Amino acid sequence: MEEQTQIDTQELGEKIVRVLKTIYDPEIPVDIYELGLIYDVFVNEVSEVKILMTLTSPNCPVAETLPVEVEEKVKSLDMVKDAEVEITFDPPWTQELMSEEAKLELGLL
């Protein structure tokens, strides 16, 4: 019976990524996932999520609101018990972290 209490962390991870792809950087018409702002997503056995993310710059105008939006949207998923966003600037964000799709969208390819 214990098997059923285990959550499918991969499935949850995919749902989290889908949510992250609905959040956009206000200055760039690309979602934060494709921009490479999400460094890591950790999910533990009790459905608590920790997201390690960065911003395009430390003085990013949404430095206060974007992490809150990420946290709230991830918490809104049924399978998520709690979510925490940690902002890091190590390593600093560069255009190299963007997906091919994002670079194409912004005419960088």
Side-chain angles (χ1 to χ4, degrees), residues 6-14 16 43-45 79:
Q6 283 257 315
I7 59 162
D8 185 336
T9 51
Q10 188 178 348
E11 181 192 339
L12 183 53
E14 287 166 11
I16 291 168
V43 180
N44 68 14
E45 314 73 58
M79 296 168 70

Side-chain angles (χ1 to χ4, degrees), residues 28 30 34-35 93-109:
I28 308 169
V30 176
E34 297 296 338
L35 267 181
W93 181 83
T94 66
Q95 289 186 353
E96 297 304 304
L97 296 168
M98 291 166 55
S99 69
E100 296 291 301
E101 193 180 308
K103 289 178 184 170
L104 197 61
E105 179 85 24
L106 297 173
L108 299 172
L109 284 180

Side-chain angles (χ1 to χ4, degrees), residues 5-17 20 38 40-52 74-75 77-84:
T5 58
Q6 283 257 315
I7 59 162
D8 185 336
T9 51
Q10 188 178 348
E11 181 192 339
L12 183 53
E14 287 166 11
K15 284 185 175 176
I16 291 168
V17 167
L20 296 173
I38 304 297
D40 221 334
V41 175
F42 307 95
V43 180
N44 68 14
E45 314 73 58
V46 291
S47 304
E48 293 167 338
V49 179
K50 181 170 185 184
I51 297 168
L52 188 61
V74 171
K75 276 183 188 172
L77 287 169
D78 289 345
M79 296 168 70
V80 174
K81 193 171 101 183
D82 198 17
E84 175 194 347

Side-chain angles (χ1 to χ4, degrees), residues 18-86:
R18 281 200 294 274
V19 166
L20 296 173
K21 286 185 172 199
T22 67
I23 303 170
Y24 285 79
D25 183 298
E27 299 182 323
I28 308 169
V30 176
D31 71 73
I32 61 171
Y33 189 82
E34 297 296 338
L35 267 181
L37 296 181
I38 304 297
Y39 285 170
D40 221 334
V41 175
F42 307 95
V43 180
N44 68 14
E45 314 73 58
V46 291
S47 304
E48 293 167 338
V49 179
K50 181 170 185 184
I51 297 168
L52 188 61
M53 68 175 285
T54 193
L55 300 167
T56 48
S57 85
N59 348 332
C60 177
V62 291
E64 298 298 311
T65 55
L66 196 60
V68 174
E69 183 183 354
V70 170
E71 220 166 80
E72 285 174 356
K73 286 201 172 164
V74 171
K75 276 183 188 172
S76 74
L77 287 169
D78 289 345
M79 296 168 70
V80 174
K81 193 171 101 183
D82 198 17
E84 175 194 347
V85 171
E86 184 179 320

